[in-house]
């Protein structure tokens, strides 16, 4: 039974990504375009290649110094720690929806299937990305170690065992959070808003802990008067050994080929998994079938109704959907929070001091800071992806909007407006905060604020067009279109690359002019040119949306 | 009110609806009957602009659906067989949204919403999110949303499924009332008794082709509608 359920979950996962390749193919039953699959495969390979390159570079730099100086355990602990942190971060916002809010709960529970099997199948599929990430990061770190020190079968065995075990701990943590959120919100009236609030609280706590941790590390380095890469890493490792002994056990299990540490590590990772699985299994039926909720609201017939234009009604529809779906709000809107959080981190940590230091060492360099700050906001803005799944989220309710007398263009523009509602304030706040360190002058001020705004519009329009091209309307859980859809990936990836490549190029060019040419106006000019460039792209995308997008929406 | 001319809709190689021609006059209540997969839903969806036909023309109140889809949609209402509504809205917000889209005035919407929700005993539940509604309650809400903007043509796909006997009776009364006021209704059903008692016209579809269309008396003659339908099905099997 578990095997059948896993196959069902996997087919949903695959269809979330692949079936949206070609809407026409879905209707006609023809196979997906090979060219499109190749293109997407190249894109995925590119992303993996870039990150692999960065991982290989880092592990090559630190492997020998750490191993030769008695910190081999730390070298091996790093990939496991990284895998754990990334898995928790990526899983935390969708675990509740994935585990408890699937639309086929009633159907599955009406069949002779144990709730434990339903839950286990969802957890296993939810862990797949964690395992892929673990294999990838572990493979890079392990490969680099082997290239220097050769293969040791026992070490490889322990390493593989731990690669398999680490996601168990990560899934325990985020499943527990999902379970806790479900339990807390079971009797609350505004479930989705409370879920969102808890998720945001968790995110803020996460970043607060991160900044505290980094501050602690910095003060440790300053006290010890260390500056070399190795010394920093060594002090970091000592701190971890003192405060996070399980990570030391995991690293030592591989480094020392220690049976005791291997056993301890496995206990730390497997026991929470078994406990959490048991806990959730026992309350699974109660959570997914609890329809009682909060006290029933009674409608008072005398209440006055507010009339609105169709455009405003469409916008309010988008807004209601967003605030009532925490999976969508948190996954598509996380970038808005990140913009502000990163801006605060930059002004509160060493980055601000570093910029002051750079300005003292290289007079004139401070003139590119406004461009750097604007581009950083653009880069983070690419993770705001409301429009990239907004068409898919219409799902089986698409008939409503399609049967109403509304132009498709109005419907699509309401989606863009929703995206901008969240992106614009976040962008302005982040730009405002970064003013403290970027210090734009009077000429730079307007393009400094305008560039991220125009970029957000570009990301919104691009996301919408890509979702129209790759819609995923037949889903059983919001996580599928929001997180697993091809449109979400491309909607984030392409604007990110655009910000990185176009912005990076402009930054290098501007920096060289500022330093060599002593032209202080060049930053304002660069920001104006970039703003105009993205505005032109927006205009083109808007034209595409008006013609092709409208036709496409009408044919969905 | 509804003029379907040589409508053809294909899925791949298979014609779900094949050269279907049907006219429904103002004041007519027409039942659309056929076995599962005969093409009823496809025809209804094509008539309200949810599906683009491969061939043929559809006119709503004399307006071409192909040339002026928005104008046509202003004149019609559609309810699918399984009304998936916006579960993140409350019942009242959903109805208010529909009124906003159709430009129903504030006073009219307040009167009409309360009139219909009282008829379907749904008033007390309007503040509840639709996600908390039963299938029958969703069906009632969908029916109300189709009626509040006073469309000329209403198209319903299996409208009685999930409704309790009182609600089904209310709906039948409202359907008659709508047609007596000069509107038209085109609905699919498998409940032949309802079609026989309620409708002026009958259209029977088989494997995408319209096999019979006419007034109730013309179609059934001295026999029952069930008898006519079964005979047609046997002809197909033979």
């Amino acid at each position: 039974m578990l095997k059948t359920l896993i196959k069902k979950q996997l087919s949903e996962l695959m269809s979330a990504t692949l079936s949206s390749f070609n809407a026409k193919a879905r209707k006609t039953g023809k196979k997906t375009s090979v060219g499109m699959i190749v293109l997407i495969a190249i894109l995925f390979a590119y992303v993996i290649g870039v990150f692999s390159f960065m991982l290989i570079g880092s592990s090559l730099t630190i492997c020998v110094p750490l191993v030769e100086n008695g910190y081999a355990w730390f070298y091996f602990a790093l990939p496991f720690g990284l895998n754990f942190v990334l898995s928790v971060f990526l899983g935390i916002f969708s675990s509740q929806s994935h585990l408890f809010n699937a639309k086929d709960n009633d159907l599955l529970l009406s069949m002779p299937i144990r709730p434990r099997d339903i839950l286990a199948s969802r957890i296993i599929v939810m862990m797949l990305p964690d395992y892929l990430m673990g294999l990838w990061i572990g493979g890079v770190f392990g490969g680099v170690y082997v290239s220097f020190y050769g293969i040791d079968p026992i070490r490889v065995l322990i390493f593989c065992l731990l690669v398999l075990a680490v996601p168990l701990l990560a899934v325990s943590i985020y499943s527990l959070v999902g379970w806790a959120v479900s339990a807390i919100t079971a009797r609350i009236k505004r479930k989705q808003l409370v879920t969102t609030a808890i998720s945001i609280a968790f995110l803020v706590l996460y970043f607060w802990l991160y900044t505290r941790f980094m501050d602690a590390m910095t003060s440790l380095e300053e006290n010890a008067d260390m500056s070399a890469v190795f010394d920093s890493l060594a002090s970091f490792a000592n701190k971890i050994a003192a405060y996070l002994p399980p990570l030391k056990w995991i690293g030592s299990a591989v480094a020392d080929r220690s049976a005791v540490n291997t056993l301890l590590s496995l206990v730390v990772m497997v026991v929470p998994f078994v406990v959490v699985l048991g806990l959730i299994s026992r309350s699974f039926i109660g959570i997914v079938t609890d329809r009682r909720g909060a006290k029933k609201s009674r409608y008072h017939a005398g209440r006055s109704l507010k009339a609105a234009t169709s455009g405003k009604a469409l916008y309010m529809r988008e807004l209601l959907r967003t605030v009532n779906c925490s999976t969508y709000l948190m996954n598509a809107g996380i970038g808005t929070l990140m913009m502000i959080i990163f801006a605060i981190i930059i002004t509160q940590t060493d980055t601000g001091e570093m910029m002051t230091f750079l300005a003292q060492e290289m007079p004139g360099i401070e003139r590119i800071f406004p461009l750097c700050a604007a581009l950083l906001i653009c880069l983070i803005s690419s993770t705001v992806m409301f429009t990239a799944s907004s068409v898919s989220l219409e799902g089986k309710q698409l008939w409503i909007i399609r049967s109403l007398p509304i132009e498709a263009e109005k419907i699509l523009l309401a989606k863009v407006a929703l995206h901008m509602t969240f992106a614009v304030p976040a962008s302005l706040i982040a730009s405002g905060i970064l003013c403290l360190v970027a210090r734009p002058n009077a000429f730079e001020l307007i393009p400094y604020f305008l560039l991220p705004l125009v970029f957000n519009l570009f990301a919104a329009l691009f996301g919408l067009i890509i979702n129209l091209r790759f819609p995923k309307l037949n889903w059983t859980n919001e996580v599928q279109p929001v997180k697993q859809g091809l449109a979400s990936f491309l909607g984030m990836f392409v604007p990110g690359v655009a910000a990185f490549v176009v912005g990076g190029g402009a930054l290098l060019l501007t920096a060289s002019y500022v330093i060599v040419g002593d032209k202080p106006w060049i930053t304002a000019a660069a920001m104006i040119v970039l703003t105009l460039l993205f505005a032109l792209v927006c205009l083109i995308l808007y034209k595409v949306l008006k013609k092709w997008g409208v036709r496409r929406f009408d044919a969905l | 009110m509804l003029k379907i001319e040589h409508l053809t809709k294909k899925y791949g190689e298979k014609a779900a609806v094949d050269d279907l021609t049907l006219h429904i006059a103002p004041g007519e209540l027409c039942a659309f009957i056929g076995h599962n997969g005969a093409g009823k839903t496809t025809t209804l969806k094509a008539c309200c602009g949810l599906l683009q036909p491969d061939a043929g023309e559809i006119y709503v109140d004399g307006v071409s659906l192909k040339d002026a889809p928005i104008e046509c949609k202003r004149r019609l209402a559609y309810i699918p067989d399984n009304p998936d509504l916006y579960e993140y809205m409350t019942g009242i917000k959903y109805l208010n949204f529909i009124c906003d889209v159709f430009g129903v005035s504030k006073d009219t919407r307040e009167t009409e919403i309360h009139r219909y929700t009282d008829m379907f005993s749904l008033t007390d539940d309007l503040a509840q999110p639709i996600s908390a509604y039963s299938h029958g309650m969703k069906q009632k809400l969908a029916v109300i949303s189709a009626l509040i903007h006073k469309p000329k043509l209403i198209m319903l796909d299996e409208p009685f499924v999930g409704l309790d006997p009182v609600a089904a009776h209310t709906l039948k009364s409202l359907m008659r009332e709508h047609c007596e006021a000069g509107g038209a209704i085109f609905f699919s059903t498998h409940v032949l008794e309802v079609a026989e008692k309620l409708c002026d016209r009958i259209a029977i579809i088989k494997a995408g082709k319209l096999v019979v269309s006419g007034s109730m008396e013309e179609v059934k003659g001295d026999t029952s509608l069930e008898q006519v339908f079964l005979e047609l099905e046997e002809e197909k099997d033979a």
Side-chain angles (χ1 to χ4, degrees), chain A residues 41-75:
Chain A
I42 290 170
L43 276 176
F44 271 103
Y46 174 75
V47 175
I48 292 170
V50 167
F51 283 102
S52 298
F53 186 73
M54 287 159 64
L55 273 179
I56 291 168
S58 311
S59 49
L60 276 173
T61 312
I62 61 174
C63 182
V64 176
L66 285 175
V67 175
E68 298 298 324
N69 289 283
Y71 285 99
W73 70 266
F74 183 60
Y75 177 78

Side-chain angles (χ1 to χ4, degrees), chain A residues 80 131 135 153-168 250 253-254 258-259 262-263 265-266 269-270:
Chain A
F80 296 123
Y131 273 121
L135 285 172
I154 295 175
R155 198 168 272 142
V156 171
L157 185 71
I158 296 172
F159 191 80
C160 291
L161 207 60
L162 293 176
V163 164
L164 290 174
V166 165
L168 295 178
I250 294 170
V254 185
S258 158
T262 306
L263 201 63
S265 305
L266 289 176
M269 290 182 274
V270 176

Side-chain angles (χ1 to χ4, degrees), chain A residues 93-173:
Chain A
F93 298 127
S94 53
S95 61
Q96 188 216 358
S97 179
H98 198 105
L99 292 176
F100 303 111
N101 296 348
K103 290 196 188 298
D104 58 358
N105 276 336
D106 289 350
L107 178 69
L108 293 176
L109 285 173
S110 71
M111 293 178 179
I113 306 171
R114 284 180 302 184
R116 198 180 63 193
D117 289 344
I118 299 172
L119 198 61
S121 68
R122 289 179 185 169
I123 286 180
I124 288 169
V125 173
M126 205 161 62
M127 283 166 68
L128 273 181
D130 304 343
Y131 273 121
L132 288 175
M133 202 153 51
L135 285 172
W136 175 42
I137 299 170
V140 168
F141 273 73
V144 167
Y145 181 86
V146 166
S147 72
F148 285 115
Y149 300 101
I151 284 192
D152 177 344
I154 295 175
R155 198 168 272 142
V156 171
L157 185 71
I158 296 172
F159 191 80
C160 291
L161 207 60
L162 293 176
V163 164
L164 290 174
V166 165
L168 295 178
L169 183 62
V171 83
S172 308
I173 303 285

Side-chain angles (χ1 to χ4, degrees), chain A residues 27-28 103 190 291 295-310 313-314 316-318 320-322 324 394 396-408 551 554-556, chain B residues 11-12 48-52 69-71 73-74 76 78-80 82-89 92-94 96-98 100-102 104-106 109-110 113-114 123-128 131 142:
Chain A
K27 285 179 184 169
T28 56
K103 290 196 188 298
R190 297 192 178 275
R291 299 278 189 270
K295 195 181 161 194
K296 194 176 165 185
S297 306
R298 197 181 160 86
Y299 178 71
H300 301 289
R303 214 164 65 180
S304 172
L305 294 171
K306 285 180 185 164
T309 60
S310 60
L314 286 170
M316 290 309 292
R317 182 187 75 113
E318 296 291 336
L320 267 177
R321 177 177 31 223
T322 308
N324 281 295
E394 297 281 353
K396 288 176 184 166
Q397 295 148 0
L398 183 67
W399 71 271
I400 300 174
I401 207 77
R402 292 276 321 283
S403 65
L404 295 177
I406 315 170
E407 293 87 357
R551 274 206 316 273
D554 283 338
L556 284 176
Chain B
Y11 293 114
C48 64
L50 286 176
L51 287 175
Q52 288 174 344
I70 301 295
E71 277 311 304
K73 287 176 186 178
R74 269 190 229 290
L76 65 84
Y78 166 71
I79 303 174
N82 190 10
D84 274 302
L85 305 176
Y86 297 135
E87 302 217 327
Y88 49 85
M89 287 187 183
I92 189 67
K93 278 188 177 159
Y94 180 71
N96 206 36
F97 168 72
I98 298 292
D100 284 340
V101 168
F102 281 94
V104 179
S105 74
K106 191 173 171 291
R109 76 176 68 178
E110 281 174 1
I113 286 175
H114 295 141
T123 311
D124 287 350
D125 297 298
L126 283 177
Q128 293 293 318
S131 57

Side-chain angles (χ1 to χ4, degrees), chain A residues 58 65 85 152 192 257 298 357-358 360 410 475 494 499:
Chain A
S58 311
V85 169
D152 177 344
Q192 299 295 337
R257 303 192 303 171
R298 197 181 160 86
F357 172 77
L358 272 174
Q360 284 167 358
K410 256 188 186 176
W475 40 266
V494 174

Side-chain angles (χ1 to χ4, degrees), chain A residues 421-487:
Chain A
T421 300
F422 286 88
V424 168
S427 170
L428 289 175
I429 292 168
S431 299
I433 295 169
L434 283 178
C435 264
L436 296 171
V437 287
R439 296 192 186 98
N441 62 29
F443 298 108
E444 292 158 356
L445 203 60
I446 291 174
Y448 166 76
F449 278 95
L450 205 57
L451 174 57
L453 294 181
V454 174
F455 183 85
N456 271 299
L457 182 61
F458 154 69
L461 289 166
F462 180 82
L464 188 55
I465 287 170
I466 211 72
N467 195 200
L468 282 165
R469 177 64 186 83
F470 301 111
K472 166 70 185 163
L473 296 165
N474 194 16
W475 40 266
T476 54
N477 191 315
E478 284 104 353
V479 175
Q480 291 164 7
V482 172
K483 265 190 99 170
Q484 298 162 353
L486 184 65

